[in-house]
Amino acid sequence: DAGITQSPRHKVTETGTPVTLRCHQTENHRYMYWYRQDPGHGLRLIHYSYGVKDTDKGEVSDGYSVSRSKTEDFLLTLESATSSQTSVYFCAIRPLILAGGITDTQYFGPGTRLTVL
Amino acid sequence: GNSVTQMEGPVTLSEEAFLTINCTYTATGYPSLFWYVQYPGEGLQLLLKATKADDKGSNKGFEATYRKETTSFHLEKGSVQVSDSAVYFCALESRAGGGNKLTFGTGTQLKVEL
């Protein structure tokens, strides 16, 4: 258990409304990631963070923004939700190893199922 | 760019049958290769990994060997159980030009029946 929680776990919203998903971790990990999972696509990276206020885009970042004001929280925001953003969203962390390197293993949260009507 | 191709599912097997899930990849540099497993209603968990050619990853009776010559990392298990029913994802990470990010295959659903 990597101490990752996601909230909410389920959400139904309407097209055009803003939505924020929260990923919270308790072990002070520096690297955090947001993915979406869709049938036929596997998991695709939306955004990632390598420290407080340090974020970068993944392969499917259009329509999403992120913020990391504290080490423990990584927020994913859909400014104006669309039906194409109906998906399951996973947060992940990557632990550091001794001597400042990073491991090659990511640990995933339980996911948030978002439905945009 | 990097990509991972997995066999399509679902794969349905009887308990104690032999399992193979095929995975091939395209990558720049020398990637690390992974199998993740997702049980119903849960997030992904690392099942096994291999970081260089000819390495064999193993865990819980599952094995996969990093084959550079065929760019493959097929998952195998000699005798599956009902509890192995899950979705299996092959993934790679190449540090060449892409940073430390994972590229996933589309996933293969495994159903094991009594």
Side-chain angles (χ1 to χ4, degrees):
Chain A
D1 182 0
I4 306 169
T5 57
Q6 293 186 232
S7 58
R9 294 293 313 279
H10 302 272
K11 186 171 182 65
V12 179
T13 191
E14 294 188 349
T15 298
T17 61
V19 176
T20 295
L21 308 182
R22 179 182 185 231
C23 177
H24 179 77
Q25 52 122 341
T26 58
E27 299 182 6
N28 224 29
H29 298 297
R30 180 177 166 191
Y31 289 81
M32 300 182 75
Y33 305 79
W34 275 109
Y35 293 89
R36 60 178 289 174
Q37 182 181 20
D38 304 290
H41 290 278
L43 274 76
R44 293 178 291 175
L45 182 65
I46 305 172
H47 282 279
Y48 64 102
S49 171
Y50 42 92
V52 172
K53 298 186 179 177
D54 288 325
T55 65
D56 206 347
K57 296 178 180 180
E59 62 178 300
V60 290
S61 59
D62 287 349
Y64 301 95
S65 62
V66 290
S67 65
R68 184 119 180 252
S69 58
K70 299 185 291 184
T71 299
E72 58 265 35
D73 289 324
F74 191 31
L75 304 180
L76 177 70
T77 297
L78 292 65
E79 299 290 349
S80 178
T82 68
S83 58
S84 64
Q85 294 175 311
T86 293
S87 187
V88 181
Y89 291 86
F90 287 99
C91 174
I93 59 92
R94 184 195 296 263
L96 289 175
I97 57 175
L98 294 177
I102 57 173
T103 67
D104 54 12
T105 301
Q106 294 188 20
Y107 296 88
F108 287 80
T112 294
R113 182 173 295 277
L114 176 67
T115 302
V116 183
L117 301 175
Chain B
N2 298 333
S3 67
V4 176
T5 302
Q6 288 181 239
M7 59 188 290
E8 289 197 19
V11 173
T12 303
L13 295 174
S14 298
E15 201 170 44
E16 300 183 359
F18 185 86
L19 168 72
T20 300
I21 300 178
N22 290 337
C23 171
T24 58
Y25 67 89
T26 302
T28 53
Y30 301 94
S32 295
L33 301 174
F34 307 84
W35 278 99
Y36 280 82
V37 58
Q38 183 180 31
Y39 298 102
E42 298 183 9
L44 278 71
Q45 305 172 24
L46 179 67
L47 180 60
L48 53 84
K49 65 181 181 183
T51 57
K52 61 182 187 296
D54 299 324
D55 270 2
K56 177 186 285 188
S58 61
N59 185 26
K60 300 181 181 180
F62 291 90
E63 293 183 340
T65 301
Y66 188 142
R67 302 287 188 198
K68 191 171 185 297
E69 64 276 13
T70 54
T71 62
S72 65
F73 192 54
H74 304 322
L75 182 68
E76 297 182 335
K77 187 175 185 183
S79 176
V80 294
Q81 305 300 311
V82 172
S83 58
D84 294 326
S85 298
V87 180
Y88 293 82
F89 292 91
C90 185
L92 70 81
E93 178 184 273
S94 173
R95 288 179 170 79
N100 298 302
K101 300 189 287 291
L102 286 170
T103 300
F104 286 89
T106 54
T108 302
Q109 184 175 14
L110 171 66
K111 297 179 181 179
V112 181
E113 301 173 335
L114 290 172

